[in-house]
Amino acid sequence: MDFGTNVPKGDLGVRLSIDLATPPEMLDMATVRRIVAVGQRLRTELLPWYVRWMFPQIDGVIVCSDQPQWNLDWTEGGQHLRLPLPSEARQREPETPKGKPSRACTVLTGQEQWPDAALLQPQPGANTKLYVKLRNTRAS
């Protein structure tokens, strides 16, 4: 497939985004793992091999918030466990314009060793948003 354009090289781009309907307070590790598995399955089974390079893989879920004090909560062996999640300095919120500072974000890939029942607990009243993490690929 060729795109014909008179735009100089490097000035034209295509952006793909996938919106999640899951509210942040209902996100658990089972949902993260399901999102990654379904995304990989759709890409490998629905797309012919010769167009897969145009569609990035899904690598997880990005959690961004004004107040980056997220926790994962779950019960194991009768005990209530809580794990604080650190913000990742390199991860930017996907909707942040270039040159502007991003809100704090963290990434859940589904490969973590936490149980499926581990539920994300964002700060009450914080403006928390979820995004699908797409693998950064560049066509040559």
Side-chain angles (χ1 to χ4, degrees), residues 26-31 33 72-76 81 114-121:
M26 302 225 13
L27 182 73
D28 59 9
M29 289 306 296
T31 304
R33 291 180 180 112
L72 281 179
D73 288 359
W74 71 94
T75 303
E76 188 174 297
L81 301 173
W114 306 316
D116 285 347
L119 184 66
L120 177 70
Q121 296 294 318

Side-chain angles (χ1 to χ4, degrees):
M1 175 185 329
D2 280 335
F3 290 109
T5 180
N6 59 357
V7 177
K9 186 174 181 170
D11 289 345
L12 183 67
V14 177
R15 182 175 173 186
L16 171 70
S17 66
I18 301 171
D19 293 331
L20 290 177
T22 304
E25 57 277 354
M26 302 225 13
L27 182 73
D28 59 9
M29 289 306 296
T31 304
V32 172
R33 291 180 180 112
R34 192 168 41 253
I35 289 168
V36 173
V38 168
Q40 290 174 350
R41 173 168 260 164
L42 288 174
R43 185 175 182 271
T44 58
E45 292 183 6
L46 289 181
L47 296 175
W49 64 269
Y50 50 86
V51 295
R52 287 184 195 148
W53 65 271
M54 292 190 304
F55 296 89
Q57 291 188 12
I58 293 176
D59 281 345
V61 175
I62 302 170
V63 181
C64 298
S65 178
D66 297 338
Q67 301 175 18
Q69 290 92 18
W70 311 283
N71 296 306
L72 281 179
D73 288 359
W74 71 94
T75 303
E76 188 174 297
Q79 283 188 309
H80 180 78
L81 301 173
R82 174 171 280 178
L83 176 71
L85 295 175
S87 62
E88 296 183 17
R90 293 184 339 185
Q91 182 61 53
R92 289 180 50 85
E93 186 169 14
E95 293 179 351
T96 304
K98 283 188 175 182
K100 301 285 183 182
S102 173
R103 297 189 306 165
C105 298
T106 192
V107 177
L108 298 171
T109 64
Q111 296 178 3
E112 297 88 357
Q113 297 297 315
W114 306 316
D116 285 347
L119 184 66
L120 177 70
Q121 296 294 318
Q123 285 292 96
N127 182 15
T128 303
K129 184 151 183 189
L130 303 178
Y131 301 92
V132 172
K133 179 167 176 46
L134 300 174
R135 183 172 298 166
N136 289 333
T137 57
R138 291 197 175 255
S140 52

